[in-house]
Amino acid sequence: MGHFIITIGCEYGAKGNAIGKKIAKDMGIPVYDRETVDAIIGEVGIPQDIMDKVESGLTIAGKGVAGQERGSFSKLSDLTGRAIHVQKQIIRKLATRESCVFIGRSADYILKDEKNILRVFIYAPEEVRVKNVMESHNLSENDAKLLIAEKEKRYHVRHLAFTGSNRGDRHNRDILLDSSLLGNDETAAYIEILAKKMFHL
């Protein structure tokens, strides 16, 4: 089996995480999501609270190379820039090691110059996403809508910080799929068929 990468971006509540994990399991390859990538980032010395602030779009002032406060022209002179840089480097390194699936983490943009890559975006109608979140989080309809709005806002802010581009830019994706058409397992199977054809597996 040749080396290939599949990235799964998704709307909150569209079941992209479950679909990505199913693909990885079926194809026998590793999957990297927020938890696994953040764990690796923690191992290189960036605390979780800093990554959480980056996720929220906050700029965290730090020390420059010479120990001076932020103010130099270096894009890594603040902790936000450093955290983003480290995450990008980790994702690129993981992608070179073996075939794998990335869920979120702006991997579709970060790895856009890779040759054997399939970039998928999973979405679903609002009513389906609300129902999914109500079930998975045991929430009322109104609370589920609020959570979706909060998460989507956070995802947009994060994606802009990491890529400088709009999260809705279809040019960073190869295929967009409505997960409600086929359900999780069949959507995963559809993507696997496409990947096998693309990568001659």
Side-chain angles (χ1 to χ4, degrees):
M1 184 178 289
H3 183 273
F4 64 92
I5 302 157
I6 299 173
T7 67
I8 306 290
C10 62
E11 290 182 325
Y12 191 75
K15 297 292 186 176
N17 198 288
I19 291 167
K21 289 180 177 178
K22 180 71 165 56
I23 292 168
K25 181 180 179 181
D26 290 348
M27 302 189 80
I29 57 178
V31 59
Y32 299 108
D33 57 8
R34 176 179 180 176
E35 289 183 5
T36 52
V37 172
D38 281 5
I40 296 169
I41 290 171
E43 290 177 6
V44 300
I46 297 181
Q48 185 62 48
D49 65 325
I50 288 180
M51 289 308 302
D52 288 341
K53 289 178 181 177
V54 171
E55 293 280 327
S56 300
L58 298 176
T59 298
I60 311 149
K63 298 284 186 179
V65 176
Q68 299 298 316
E69 291 295 335
R70 181 185 175 204
S72 76
F73 290 103
S74 170
K75 67 178 180 180
L76 302 182
S77 61
D78 59 68
L79 294 180
T80 305
R82 292 179 191 179
I84 290 173
H85 176 74
V86 167
Q87 180 161 313
K88 286 181 176 180
Q89 292 301 103
I90 287 171
I91 288 173
R92 291 185 181 116
K93 190 167 185 178
L94 290 171
T96 63
R97 285 169 41 180
E98 56 189 332
S99 298
C100 58
V101 174
F102 285 97
I103 300 173
R105 308 293 83 200
S106 300
D108 53 359
Y109 181 89
I110 294 168
L111 301 174
K112 61 185 173 66
D113 294 326
E114 294 289 326
K115 290 183 179 179
N116 291 330
I117 185 168
L118 172 59
R119 300 172 299 171
V120 180
F121 189 81
I122 305 294
Y123 68 98
E126 182 180 4
E127 62 271 18
V128 173
R129 296 165 60 206
V130 170
K131 181 181 177 182
N132 287 340
V133 172
M134 287 173 66
E135 293 175 353
S136 63
H137 290 70
N138 194 27
L139 296 175
S140 67
E141 181 178 352
N142 187 58
D143 285 345
K145 288 180 178 179
L146 289 173
L147 180 58
I148 289 171
E150 176 189 332
K151 291 288 188 180
E152 285 296 314
K153 181 179 179 181
R154 182 169 178 166
Y155 289 170
H156 282 294
V157 168
R158 180 192 177 281
H159 191 79
L160 183 61
F162 272 72
T163 71
S165 66
N166 190 310
R167 185 164 169 262
D169 185 1
R170 68 183 184 279
H171 295 96
N172 289 326
R173 285 80 183 247
D174 300 309
I175 186 169
L176 287 76
L177 289 172
D178 178 350
S179 58
S180 71
L181 295 177
L182 298 174
N184 294 357
D185 290 353
E186 290 302 317
T187 299
Y190 185 92
I191 295 167
E192 291 163 27
I193 291 170
L194 177 59
K196 289 173 182 177
K197 287 183 178 293
M198 282 183 62
F199 306 133
H200 307 291
L201 302 178

